[in-house]
Structures are given as C-alpha cells and as structure tokens.
Amino acid sequence: MTRCTPCVLCGTHRTLATVHRIAVRLRRSSRRCCLRSHSESELISHYIGQRDADSAWYFMRDLRARTEGIFQLTSDGLRAYVDAVDAHFATSIHFAQLIKLHSSRDITGPDWYGATSRVTGTIPSVRCGRPEPRFVSTSYVEGLNLSVRTHLRRYARRTNAHSRKLANHEACVALWVAWYNFVRVNTSVGITPCMAAGITSTIWTMRELLEA
C-alpha cells in the first residue's frame, strides 16, 4: 500500500538550475519517490528509490546534475544525506539538517487507528557552509506534499488505489510530474513552471504533452 510522508530536502536561494526545494517522499512497499521543486519557478523533478544510503547517493548525484552555483539546502535528520551531499557537493553548498522532535501517538481515543505523532520541536544543525538560519526549514515541502496527495489518489493515506507494479508506479509519477511542469498553471507564479523556467513559452495542452 502506498503511503506518503513529508519532506526530505528544502533549498532556498542562489541557484541557476532546475531544482533545489524538495517536496515529498512517497513509498510503495520499500520504495519512495522524492520530488524536488525550484524555489522561483516551482519546477519539479523526481527520483524513485529507497530510504537508504544508496538512494541518497543517487538522489544527490541527480540534484548536483540539475543545479549550478552555490545554494542552500535543508534535509531531515537522515544521516545518509550528510555523506551523499559531501560526496557530490563537497563544500560548494550551504547545507543544514532540521531534526524534528515528535510526541508519542495518541492511542486512547476513537481515532487511535489513524493517529500520528505530532511535531513538538525542531533542532537545526549546520553541516556545511553558512546556511542562513531563516531558510533552514522544510515548510515548503508541505505544499507539494498536499498537491501530490490531492492529485494522485494512490498517495492518499489508507487507500486501495496503490500501484500493483513498480513500472506502473514509476509511469504514474512521471506523467504527473510532466503534467505539473508543462500543463498546470501554478498559482504562485501565474504560469506553468516550465514557462517560468524558460523551457517553453506556452501552456501545453494534454494532447501536446502526450504527443511529445
């Protein structure tokens, strides 16, 4: 069953390429999909893997290939990100981790089955460079997390619409990301993310997307 949990990486400024805010992790069995979003154009990209050191390494390699210059990056407390960022960015990045403290789940009320723990506090930890404290945040992640849950039913909690095959899962995510970038007008920028990034000058139709 596919489940969705928020936030992996959140970048903020001084970038010239496609991505630097991460949005959401989606899990099918042991698989997760990481979505990254550019802070100005809202252009997103994705990577599907597991929450382990190998996937973190490939994830950061992909992020390095899509970015230029120095920018700020924030991750959750997963240790694998520290080594992966160091391997691909070395010191050419402002990197911090935001470690979240959670309360225990409430299993006493009538809604105990769907109960989740609450965030009671956060601990920012600088890993590399000089990240600006006001940008050490994963708040931007939640917006795209909501978009994924809203648009793709298989990513809703406790759904029976999960992917039966990994290939179907990958195709679904790829199609949604393409639609989000080329067809959907983003309310934050007033145009599609690809138009804001200078990739295309027009809003694509679904026919144009499927025929591309």
Side-chain angles (χ1 to χ4, degrees):
M1 189 172 187
T2 303
R3 297 184 183 276
C4 173
T5 54
C7 74
V8 184
L9 303 172
C10 177
T12 53
H13 62 295
R14 294 194 297 277
T15 182
L16 301 176
T18 52
V19 240
H20 67 81
R21 258 189 222 158
I22 212 183
V24 67
R25 289 193 311 269
L26 305 172
R27 186 179 67 185
R28 179 191 183 278
S29 299
S30 60
R31 296 284 176 173
R32 295 174 184 263
C33 174
C34 298
L35 294 174
R36 298 176 291 263
S37 172
H38 188 272
S39 62
E40 297 179 358
S41 67
E42 302 294 338
L43 188 74
I44 66 174
S45 67
H46 74 287
Y47 173 82
I48 295 178
Q50 297 176 329
R51 186 170 167 80
D52 56 17
D54 288 340
S55 291
W57 192 91
Y58 286 111
F59 183 45
M60 288 302 157
R61 185 183 69 171
D62 183 67
L63 181 62
R64 173 73 281 185
R66 297 175 184 274
T67 54
E68 297 177 0
I70 299 176
F71 61 95
Q72 182 164 325
L73 184 69
T74 304
S75 80
D76 61 15
L78 183 66
R79 173 64 193 179
Y81 290 129
V82 178
D83 297 332
V85 170
D86 180 67
H88 295 291
F89 292 93
T91 59
S92 60
I93 194 172
H94 303 290
F95 175 43
Q97 288 189 304
L98 190 67
I99 302 171
K100 294 185 177 181
L101 306 177
H102 295 83
S103 64
S104 59
R105 299 183 180 184
D106 181 8
I107 59 173
T108 59
D111 299 325
W112 65 270
Y113 178 77
T116 58
S117 58
R118 297 179 180 275
V119 176
T120 58
T122 58
I123 302 175
S125 178
V126 176
R127 298 301 186 185
C128 181
R130 300 174 61 184
E132 297 183 32
R134 64 194 180 101
F135 290 132
V136 179
S137 171
T138 55
S139 297
Y140 291 114
V141 169
E142 304 300 339
L144 190 51
N145 183 14
L146 177 61
S147 295
V148 172
R149 293 178 186 273
T150 302
H151 298 151
L152 297 178
R153 183 169 174 254
R154 67 190 65 203
Y155 293 148
R157 290 191 177 95
R158 296 196 300 277
T159 179
N160 62 352
H162 56 277
S163 299
R164 273 70 176 179
K165 298 179 180 178
L166 179 59
N168 295 346
H169 179 81
E170 293 174 340
C172 172
V173 176
L175 181 60
W176 182 81
V177 169
W179 170 81
Y180 187 96
N181 285 333
F182 286 92
V183 180
R184 178 181 181 270
V185 175
N186 191 287
T187 56
S188 298
V189 296
I191 51 180
T192 66
C194 280
M195 292 176 66
I199 297 175
T200 181
S201 59
T202 60
I203 300 174
W204 284 24
T205 65
M206 282 302 299
R207 177 182 291 276
E208 291 174 323
L209 177 65
L210 296 175
E211 292 178 349

mmCIF file with all atom_site columns, all heavy atoms in Angstrom, residues 156-169:
data_model
loop_
_atom_site.group_PDB
_atom_site.id
_atom_site.type_symbol
_atom_site.label_atom_id
_atom_site.label_alt_id
_atom_site.label_comp_id
_atom_site.label_asym_id
_atom_site.label_entity_id
_atom_site.label_seq_id
_atom_site.pdbx_PDB_ins_code
_atom_site.Cartn_x
_atom_site.Cartn_y
_atom_site.Cartn_z
_atom_site.occupancy
_atom_site.B_iso_or_equiv
_atom_site.pdbx_formal_charge
_atom_site.auth_seq_id
_atom_site.auth_comp_id
_atom_site.auth_asym_id
_atom_site.auth_atom_id
_atom_site.pdbx_PDB_model_num
ATOM 1   N N   . ALA A 1 156 ? -2.803  8.891  -1.294  1.00 0.00 ? 156 ALA A N   1
ATOM 2   C CA  . ALA A 1 156 ? -3.614  9.221  -0.126  1.00 0.00 ? 156 ALA A CA  1
ATOM 3   C C   . ALA A 1 156 ? -3.395  8.159  0.949   1.00 0.00 ? 156 ALA A C   1
ATOM 4   O O   . ALA A 1 156 ? -3.090  7.009  0.658   1.00 0.00 ? 156 ALA A O   1
ATOM 5   C CB  . ALA A 1 156 ? -5.094  9.285  -0.501  1.00 0.00 ? 156 ALA A CB  1
ATOM 6   N N   . ARG A 1 157 ? -3.532  8.558  2.179   1.00 0.00 ? 157 ARG A N   1
ATOM 7   C CA  . ARG A 1 157 ? -3.355  7.604  3.272   1.00 0.00 ? 157 ARG A CA  1
ATOM 8   C C   . ARG A 1 157 ? -4.506  6.589  3.297   1.00 0.00 ? 157 ARG A C   1
ATOM 9   O O   . ARG A 1 157 ? -5.648  6.927  3.064   1.00 0.00 ? 157 ARG A O   1
ATOM 10  C CB  . ARG A 1 157 ? -3.296  8.340  4.609   1.00 0.00 ? 157 ARG A CB  1
ATOM 11  C CG  . ARG A 1 157 ? -2.036  9.165  4.820   1.00 0.00 ? 157 ARG A CG  1
ATOM 12  C CD  . ARG A 1 157 ? -1.941  9.632  6.264   1.00 0.00 ? 157 ARG A CD  1
ATOM 13  N NE  . ARG A 1 157 ? -0.711  10.362 6.509   1.00 0.00 ? 157 ARG A NE  1
ATOM 14  C CZ  . ARG A 1 157 ? -0.602  11.683 6.454   1.00 0.00 ? 157 ARG A CZ  1
ATOM 15  N NH1 . ARG A 1 157 ? -1.662  12.404 6.143   1.00 0.00 ? 157 ARG A NH1 1
ATOM 16  N NH2 . ARG A 1 157 ? 0.544   12.283 6.706   1.00 0.00 ? 157 ARG A NH2 1
ATOM 17  N N   . ARG A 1 158 ? -4.157  5.346  3.606   1.00 0.00 ? 158 ARG A N   1
ATOM 18  C CA  . ARG A 1 158 ? -5.123  4.266  3.743   1.00 0.00 ? 158 ARG A CA  1
ATOM 19  C C   . ARG A 1 158 ? -6.011  4.158  2.504   1.00 0.00 ? 158 ARG A C   1
ATOM 20  O O   . ARG A 1 158 ? -7.232  4.168  2.584   1.00 0.00 ? 158 ARG A O   1
ATOM 21  C CB  . ARG A 1 158 ? -5.967  4.449  5.004   1.00 0.00 ? 158 ARG A CB  1
ATOM 22  C CG  . ARG A 1 158 ? -5.175  4.367  6.280   1.00 0.00 ? 158 ARG A CG  1
ATOM 23  C CD  . ARG A 1 158 ? -6.064  4.158  7.487   1.00 0.00 ? 158 ARG A CD  1
ATOM 24  N NE  . ARG A 1 158 ? -7.028  5.222  7.677   1.00 0.00 ? 158 ARG A NE  1
ATOM 25  C CZ  . ARG A 1 158 ? -6.776  6.364  8.282   1.00 0.00 ? 158 ARG A CZ  1
ATOM 26  N NH1 . ARG A 1 158 ? -5.562  6.622  8.734   1.00 0.00 ? 158 ARG A NH1 1
ATOM 27  N NH2 . ARG A 1 158 ? -7.719  7.272  8.433   1.00 0.00 ? 158 ARG A NH2 1
ATOM 28  N N   . THR A 1 159 ? -5.369  4.068  1.333   1.00 0.00 ? 159 THR A N   1
ATOM 29  C CA  . THR A 1 159 ? -6.108  3.925  0.086   1.00 0.00 ? 159 THR A CA  1
ATOM 30  C C   . THR A 1 159 ? -5.903  2.535  -0.492  1.00 0.00 ? 159 THR A C   1
ATOM 31  O O   . THR A 1 159 ? -4.910  1.874  -0.204  1.00 0.00 ? 159 THR A O   1
ATOM 32  C CB  . THR A 1 159 ? -5.632  4.972  -0.942  1.00 0.00 ? 159 THR A CB  1
ATOM 33  O OG1 . THR A 1 159 ? -6.356  4.807  -2.153  1.00 0.00 ? 159 THR A OG1 1
ATOM 34  C CG2 . THR A 1 159 ? -4.152  4.808  -1.244  1.00 0.00 ? 159 THR A CG2 1
ATOM 35  N N   . ASN A 1 160 ? -6.861  2.093  -1.302  1.00 0.00 ? 160 ASN A N   1
ATOM 36  C CA  . ASN A 1 160 ? -6.703  0.819  -2.006  1.00 0.00 ? 160 ASN A CA  1
ATOM 37  C C   . ASN A 1 160 ? -6.317  1.062  -3.460  1.00 0.00 ? 160 ASN A C   1
ATOM 38  O O   . ASN A 1 160 ? -6.373  0.151  -4.283  1.00 0.00 ? 160 ASN A O   1
ATOM 39  C CB  . ASN A 1 160 ? -7.997  0.003  -1.936  1.00 0.00 ? 160 ASN A CB  1
ATOM 40  C CG  . ASN A 1 160 ? -9.165  0.697  -2.615  1.00 0.00 ? 160 ASN A CG  1
ATOM 41  O OD1 . ASN A 1 160 ? -9.058  1.862  -3.017  1.00 0.00 ? 160 ASN A OD1 1
ATOM 42  N ND2 . ASN A 1 160 ? -10.287 0.013  -2.724  1.00 0.00 ? 160 ASN A ND2 1
ATOM 43  N N   . ALA A 1 161 ? -5.926  2.305  -3.787  1.00 0.00 ? 161 ALA A N   1
ATOM 44  C CA  . ALA A 1 161 ? -5.574  2.658  -5.159  1.00 0.00 ? 161 ALA A CA  1
ATOM 45  C C   . ALA A 1 161 ? -4.064  2.622  -5.374  1.00 0.00 ? 161 ALA A C   1
ATOM 46  O O   . ALA A 1 161 ? -3.535  3.313  -6.232  1.00 0.00 ? 161 ALA A O   1
ATOM 47  C CB  . ALA A 1 161 ? -6.109  4.047  -5.490  1.00 0.00 ? 161 ALA A CB  1
ATOM 48  N N   . HIS A 1 162 ? -3.362  1.833  -4.575  1.00 0.00 ? 162 HIS A N   1
ATOM 49  C CA  . HIS A 1 162 ? -1.911  1.772  -4.691  1.00 0.00 ? 162 HIS A CA  1
ATOM 50  C C   . HIS A 1 162 ? -1.485  1.072  -5.987  1.00 0.00 ? 162 HIS A C   1
ATOM 51  O O   . HIS A 1 162 ? -2.261  0.342  -6.602  1.00 0.00 ? 162 HIS A O   1
ATOM 52  C CB  . HIS A 1 162 ? -1.324  1.026  -3.499  1.00 0.00 ? 162 HIS A CB  1
ATOM 53  C CG  . HIS A 1 162 ? -1.882  -0.347 -3.303  1.00 0.00 ? 162 HIS A CG  1
ATOM 54  N ND1 . HIS A 1 162 ? -3.070  -0.572 -2.635  1.00 0.00 ? 162 HIS A ND1 1
ATOM 55  C CD2 . HIS A 1 162 ? -1.436  -1.556 -3.699  1.00 0.00 ? 162 HIS A CD2 1
ATOM 56  C CE1 . HIS A 1 162 ? -3.326  -1.865 -2.620  1.00 0.00 ? 162 HIS A CE1 1
ATOM 57  N NE2 . HIS A 1 162 ? -2.346  -2.489 -3.271  1.00 0.00 ? 162 HIS A NE2 1
ATOM 58  N N   . SER A 1 163 ? -0.239  1.313  -6.398  1.00 0.00 ? 163 SER A N   1
ATOM 59  C CA  . SER A 1 163 ? 0.300   0.681  -7.598  1.00 0.00 ? 163 SER A CA  1
ATOM 60  C C   . SER A 1 163 ? 0.548   -0.797 -7.342  1.00 0.00 ? 163 SER A C   1
ATOM 61  O O   . SER A 1 163 ? 1.094   -1.178 -6.315  1.00 0.00 ? 163 SER A O   1
ATOM 62  C CB  . SER A 1 163 ? 1.613   1.351  -8.008  1.00 0.00 ? 163 SER A CB  1
ATOM 63  O OG  . SER A 1 163 ? 1.430   2.705  -8.297  1.00 0.00 ? 163 SER A OG  1
ATOM 64  N N   . ARG A 1 164 ? 0.170   -1.623 -8.305  1.00 0.00 ? 164 ARG A N   1
ATOM 65  C CA  . ARG A 1 164 ? 0.406   -3.060 -8.170  1.00 0.00 ? 164 ARG A CA  1
ATOM 66  C C   . ARG A 1 164 ? 1.791   -3.440 -8.655  1.00 0.00 ? 164 ARG A C   1
ATOM 67  O O   . ARG A 1 164 ? 2.361   -4.424 -8.219  1.00 0.00 ? 164 ARG A O   1
ATOM 68  C CB  . ARG A 1 164 ? -0.641  -3.852 -8.963  1.00 0.00 ? 164 ARG A CB  1
ATOM 69  C CG  . ARG A 1 164 ? -1.911  -4.149 -8.191  1.00 0.00 ? 164 ARG A CG  1
ATOM 70  C CD  . ARG A 1 164 ? -2.753  -2.905 -7.956  1.00 0.00 ? 164 ARG A CD  1
ATOM 71  N NE  . ARG A 1 164 ? -4.015  -3.193 -7.303  1.00 0.00 ? 164 ARG A NE  1
ATOM 72  C CZ  . ARG A 1 164 ? -4.902  -2.276 -6.989  1.00 0.00 ? 164 ARG A CZ  1
ATOM 73  N NH1 . ARG A 1 164 ? -4.671  -0.999 -7.268  1.00 0.00 ? 164 ARG A NH1 1
ATOM 74  N NH2 . ARG A 1 164 ? -6.035  -2.601 -6.389  1.00 0.00 ? 164 ARG A NH2 1
ATOM 75  N N   . LYS A 1 165 ? 2.338   -2.656 -9.610  1.00 0.00 ? 165 LYS A N   1
ATOM 76  C CA  . LYS A 1 165 ? 3.654   -2.936 -10.158 1.00 0.00 ? 165 LYS A CA  1
ATOM 77  C C   . LYS A 1 165 ? 4.515   -1.678 -10.054 1.00 0.00 ? 165 LYS A C   1
ATOM 78  O O   . LYS A 1 165 ? 4.017   -0.561 -10.182 1.00 0.00 ? 165 LYS A O   1
ATOM 79  C CB  . LYS A 1 165 ? 3.556   -3.373 -11.622 1.00 0.00 ? 165 LYS A CB  1
ATOM 80  C CG  . LYS A 1 165 ? 2.779   -4.659 -11.843 1.00 0.00 ? 165 LYS A CG  1
ATOM 81  C CD  . LYS A 1 165 ? 2.733   -4.990 -13.330 1.00 0.00 ? 165 LYS A CD  1
ATOM 82  C CE  . LYS A 1 165 ? 1.957   -6.276 -13.574 1.00 0.00 ? 165 LYS A CE  1
ATOM 83  N NZ  . LYS A 1 165 ? 1.876   -6.589 -15.033 1.00 0.00 ? 165 LYS A NZ  1
ATOM 84  N N   . LEU A 1 166 ? 5.810   -1.879 -9.867  1.00 0.00 ? 166 LEU A N   1
ATOM 85  C CA  . LEU A 1 166 ? 6.715   -0.740 -9.771  1.00 0.00 ? 166 LEU A CA  1
ATOM 86  C C   . LEU A 1 166 ? 6.736   0.061  -11.072 1.00 0.00 ? 166 LEU A C   1
ATOM 87  O O   . LEU A 1 166 ? 6.791   1.289  -11.051 1.00 0.00 ? 166 LEU A O   1
ATOM 88  C CB  . LEU A 1 166 ? 8.130   -1.226 -9.435  1.00 0.00 ? 166 LEU A CB  1
ATOM 89  C CG  . LEU A 1 166 ? 9.197   -0.136 -9.322  1.00 0.00 ? 166 LEU A CG  1
ATOM 90  C CD1 . LEU A 1 166 ? 8.837   0.876  -8.248  1.00 0.00 ? 166 LEU A CD1 1
ATOM 91  C CD2 . LEU A 1 166 ? 10.568  -0.755 -9.046  1.00 0.00 ? 166 LEU A CD2 1
ATOM 92  N N   . ALA A 1 167 ? 6.660   -0.630 -12.215 1.00 0.00 ? 167 ALA A N   1
ATOM 93  C CA  . ALA A 1 167 ? 6.662   0.070  -13.503 1.00 0.00 ? 167 ALA A CA  1
ATOM 94  C C   . ALA A 1 167 ? 5.456   0.991  -13.625 1.00 0.00 ? 167 ALA A C   1
ATOM 95  O O   . ALA A 1 167 ? 5.560   2.114  -14.148 1.00 0.00 ? 167 ALA A O   1
ATOM 96  C CB  . ALA A 1 167 ? 6.673   -0.948 -14.647 1.00 0.00 ? 167 ALA A CB  1
ATOM 97  N N   . ASN A 1 168 ? 4.292   0.534  -13.150 1.00 0.00 ? 168 ASN A N   1
ATOM 98  C CA  . ASN A 1 168 ? 3.094   1.375  -13.170 1.00 0.00 ? 168 ASN A CA  1
ATOM 99  C C   . ASN A 1 168 ? 3.260   2.588  -12.256 1.00 0.00 ? 168 ASN A C   1
ATOM 100 O O   . ASN A 1 168 ? 2.843   3.697  -12.579 1.00 0.00 ? 168 ASN A O   1
ATOM 101 C CB  . ASN A 1 168 ? 1.872   0.574  -12.733 1.00 0.00 ? 168 ASN A CB  1
ATOM 102 C CG  . ASN A 1 168 ? 1.529   -0.539 -13.708 1.00 0.00 ? 168 ASN A CG  1
ATOM 103 O OD1 . ASN A 1 168 ? 2.027   -0.563 -14.827 1.00 0.00 ? 168 ASN A OD1 1
ATOM 104 N ND2 . ASN A 1 168 ? 0.691   -1.466 -13.278 1.00 0.00 ? 168 ASN A ND2 1
ATOM 105 N N   . HIS A 1 169 ? 3.870   2.343  -11.119 1.00 0.00 ? 169 HIS A N   1
ATOM 106 C CA  . HIS A 1 169 ? 4.118   3.403  -10.152 1.00 0.00 ? 169 HIS A CA  1
ATOM 107 C C   . HIS A 1 169 ? 5.027   4.483  -10.753 1.00 0.00 ? 169 HIS A C   1
ATOM 108 O O   . HIS A 1 169 ? 4.745   5.679  -10.660 1.00 0.00 ? 169 HIS A O   1
ATOM 109 C CB  . HIS A 1 169 ? 4.762   2.785  -8.914  1.00 0.00 ? 169 HIS A CB  1
ATOM 110 C CG  . HIS A 1 169 ? 5.090   3.777  -7.838  1.00 0.00 ? 169 HIS A CG  1
ATOM 111 N ND1 . HIS A 1 169 ? 4.165   4.243  -6.946  1.00 0.00 ? 169 HIS A ND1 1
ATOM 112 C CD2 . HIS A 1 169 ? 6.261   4.394  -7.523  1.00 0.00 ? 169 HIS A CD2 1
ATOM 113 C CE1 . HIS A 1 169 ? 4.738   5.096  -6.122  1.00 0.00 ? 169 HIS A CE1 1
ATOM 114 N NE2 . HIS A 1 169 ? 6.007   5.208  -6.449  1.00 0.00 ? 169 HIS A NE2 1
#
